[in-house]
Amino acid sequence: MVTRGFSGRKPPTDTDARIPPGQYLEQGFPVLSAGPTPRVRTEDWSFTLKHGPRPIKTWNWTEFNALPLTKMTRDIHCVTAWTKFDTAWQGVLVDDILADAGIEPPTAFTLALSFDGYTTNVPTQDLTAGKAMVALLYEGKPITPDHGGPARLLVPHLYFWKSAKWLNGLQFTERDEPGFWELRGYHIYGDPWREQRYTGDP
Amino acid sequence: MSDGPAAQSPWQTVTIARIEKRTPRVTSFFLQPSRPFAYRAGQHVDVRLTAPDGYQARRSYSIASAPEAGETIELAIERLDDGEVSPFFHDIAAVGDEVELRGPLGGHFVWSDSDGGPLLLVGGGSGVVPLMAMIRHRAARRSAVPAALVFSARVWDEVIFRDELIDLHNRRDGFDLVLALTREPARRPADYSRRVDAAMMEQSMLRLPAPPRFAFVCGSNAFVSAAAQALIDAGVPAGLIRTERYGV
Ligand SMILES: Cc1cc2nc3c(=O)[nH]c(=O)nc-3n(C[C@H](O)[C@H](O)[C@H](O)COP(=O)(O)OP(=O)(O)OC[C@H]3O[C@@H](n4cnc5c(N)ncnc54)[C@H](O)[C@@H]3O)c2cc1C
């Protein structure tokens, strides 16, 4: 349905192919969250890999920062319709976390866990083979608390609510268990290219 | 708190039934849905505009009306001069025009009378919109839940829904309005002439008969960060605070 009188502010056509349907190009870096920004001190930070309720391995900040660091520059897509190009992150690939724990992924699904109780589910294969990391730096600097620092998950090929802020663990689950927003009307998978925003989207 | 999954909600065409200027920068658009539209106070909708060449823009807008208000849904849209969608509404949209709408959306920043209280609402600028839906819902239900709204605006004339809020305050039925004007002197005895801070939150909570059971904070990112921190500093447990950020 064409809207009378609307022409829109079109992005340059050379970038069209990089903007998923229904998204617009954002120059800033908006912040979205369900509650207040937790202030997590690196002294208090820890990260735990779990299989169900059972902890597999826990790292403190120093131990985690000693893992191999990888750079990832990616376009990111928020379900509130902004897309941001070329965001530059550094962190530890989920592959490298698993390698350090000496395990293969035990189940097909993973729940990301955050300090504030936030959770989000991602199929395990969307986290491995170089697709996702636990990011520690944004544009070369520590991630600010508003953007999820000290550490956040980065799963750039899914809507950004999957890239859980204030991450403190990954939990392998037998089933695809909906997380915080998935229980509140958001899509269980969240592929921006298929516009999987809300429950019921194909 | 009712946090169940939102029902499937595809796009529908809605007609602009009425337009009402609220403040110099905020205008309300009353939209008539083509299908029945049930929602909870605090939810939002996505609006989609389509250009002749197929280009589309979509933005989220909170619902300002109460679920009890009847058929039309009120959106209160602030004009951002260099924006894409809000200037379209302010400069071009007219009564009788159609836009596409999806929703209701959002299952976290919601409150119903049955959830209880006391309720502490903190809004900055157009962030008052979903809080207004809660306040109107409370009034429509003749709810006894104590509620206080701390509303920050730059000046008196930019206080969205000002007359209605003052009327509701004057009913003395358990709803209290506190205005924080950041660029003008306060005009009412209980109001402030500064940005929100922990002391203001503490004093505003004293207007409630008991500590808040729910705190809702909405506005720009900077406002929400500052206000949520002020609430925490005033002793509100972080887990009680729900936030909605309008991005910029
Ligand atoms: C859940 C939710 C509820 C909301 N509810 C409301 C509501 O009730 N009322 C309301 O008014 N708003 C609300 N918003 C905000 C709303 O969705 C829009 O963000 C707002 O209307 C601005 O949209 P716009 O298209 O006019 O501006 P945009 O085009 O998105 O621009 C926003 C700002 O970004 C900057 N900008 C954008 N593009 C560029 C560029 N290319 N170069 C430089 N700067 C740029 C500009 O400074 C501009 O002012 C809500 C948002 C959310 C997420």
Side-chain angles (χ1 to χ4, degrees):
Chain A
M1 187 201 88
V2 172
T3 315
R4 185 192 67 82
F6 178 70
S7 54
R9 184 181 58 210
K10 294 168 193 72
T13 41
D14 57 325
T15 59
D16 269 7
R18 288 171 69 182
I19 302 180
Q23 298 289 111
Y24 68 96
L25 195 55
E26 168 71 51
Q27 308 297 336
F29 196 166
V31 174
L32 293 141
S33 65
T37 298
R39 315 268 152 189
V40 183
R41 304 186 316 158
T42 52
E43 298 93 301
D44 303 328
W45 187 90
S46 71
F47 178 88
T48 303
L49 206 55
K50 290 179 175 180
H51 183 176
R54 187 175 58 84
I56 301 170
K57 180 162 181 171
T58 298
W59 294 259
N60 66 24
W61 183 250
T62 312
E63 292 160 348
F64 198 82
N65 277 266
L67 299 178
L69 276 191
T70 301
K71 282 189 186 171
M72 232 192 226
T73 299
R74 294 286 187 282
D75 300 346
I76 55 174
H77 315 288
C78 177
V79 70
T80 64
W82 55 264
T83 282
K84 186 170 172 60
F85 283 168
D86 300 319
T87 63
W89 306 86
Q90 261 173 283
V92 183
L93 290 177
V94 173
D95 301 310
D96 289 324
I97 299 171
L98 293 171
D100 194 59
I103 58 160
E104 293 291 322
T107 69
F109 300 100
T110 303
L111 211 47
L113 312 173
S114 297
F115 276 87
D116 62 340
Y118 181 86
T119 56
T120 188
N121 57 307
V122 186
T124 305
Q125 63 171 19
D126 284 86
L127 296 177
T128 54
K131 290 200 276 299
M133 63 160 52
V134 176
L136 306 172
L137 301 173
Y138 174 67
E139 298 197 322
K141 294 191 206 78
I143 303 172
T144 59
D146 270 358
H147 288 297
R152 75 176 298 163
L153 190 60
L154 179 70
V155 196
H157 66 286
L158 299 179
Y159 279 126
F160 218 43
W161 88 77
K162 295 286 182 182
S163 294
K165 297 175 173 183
W166 313 298
L167 195 74
N168 69 354
L170 289 175
Q171 178 175 28
F172 294 104
T173 61
E174 304 300 326
R175 267 177 265 112
D176 199 7
E177 291 177 22
F180 183 88
W181 285 120
E182 294 81 11
L183 285 169
R184 290 163 178 79
Y186 284 75
H187 197 274
I188 191 80
Y189 183 62
D191 180 350
W193 294 97
R194 292 158 70 191
E195 269 209 280
Q196 295 176 330
R197 296 174 194 274
Y198 307 117
T199 311
D201 283 342
Chain B
M1 199 99 189
S2 35
D3 262 339
Q8 181 178 348
S9 44
W11 293 100
Q12 64 164 301
T13 301
V14 300
T15 309
I16 300 178
R18 193 154 60 88
I19 297 177
E20 201 174 308
K21 204 164 170 62
R22 294 287 187 192
T23 72
R25 296 191 304 137
V26 178
T27 297
S28 281
F29 297 84
F30 294 81
L31 307 175
Q32 172 71 50
S34 46
R35 289 198 296 271
F37 191 90
Y39 56 93
R40 285 180 283 160
Q43 286 192 289
H44 66 274
V45 295
D46 278 5
V47 171
R48 184 166 76 180
L49 310 178
T50 306
D53 64 357
Y55 172 81
Q56 293 186 323
R58 61 190 286 166
R59 295 290 185 276
S60 299
Y61 291 100
S62 299
I63 303 172
S65 37
E68 294 79 9
E71 294 213 303
T72 62
I73 312 154
E74 177 179 355
L75 306 184
I77 299 181
E78 178 178 349
R79 187 195 159 96
L80 301 185
D81 291 331
D82 48 358
E84 181 174 32
V85 172
S86 62
F88 164 83
F89 273 96
H90 280 252
D91 301 345
I92 297 168
V95 169
D97 280 353
E98 291 179 335
V99 296
E100 283 181 293
L101 179 141
R102 189 176 182 184
L105 300 166
H108 181 61
F109 201 84
V110 290
W111 178 80
S112 303
D113 179 34
S114 56
D115 294 324
L119 200 54
L120 182 58
L121 309 173
V122 185
S126 59
V128 76
V129 175
L131 311 178
M132 192 65 193
M134 297 176 190
I135 292 162
R136 286 169 162 172
H137 165 69
R138 182 187 170 282
R141 296 293 297 268
R142 299 180 188 285
S143 162
V145 170
L149 169 68
V150 182
F151 182 6
S152 175
R154 290 189 294 194
V155 295
W156 179 252
D157 283 335
E158 287 186 4
V159 176
I160 314 166
F161 309 118
R162 185 187 65 211
D163 295 346
E164 185 178 345
L165 285 168
I166 290 173
D167 280 351
L168 289 168
H169 171 96
N170 288 341
R171 287 187 189 181
R172 301 277 164 212
D173 70 349
F175 168 70
D176 239 66
L177 171 68
V178 177
L179 296 176
L181 303 181
T182 56
R183 298 191 189 172
E184 254 184 25
R187 297 205 188 177
R188 306 180 320 147
D191 291 347
Y192 299 91
S193 175
R194 62 172 200 262
R195 290 168 175 236
V196 297
D197 56 26
M200 195 187 293
M201 294 302 159
E202 268 173 41
Q203 288 159 4
S204 302
M205 279 192 282
L206 294 176
R207 296 163 163 269
L208 297 168
R213 174 133 170 254
F214 302 107
F216 289 89
V217 185
C218 186
S220 68
N221 176 47
F223 177 82
V224 170
S225 292
Q229 192 56 51
L231 284 174
I232 291 169
D233 293 343
V236 179
L240 296 188
I241 304 172
R242 295 179 182 217
T243 61
E244 185 129 289
R245 303 179 190 239
Y246 284 177
V248 278

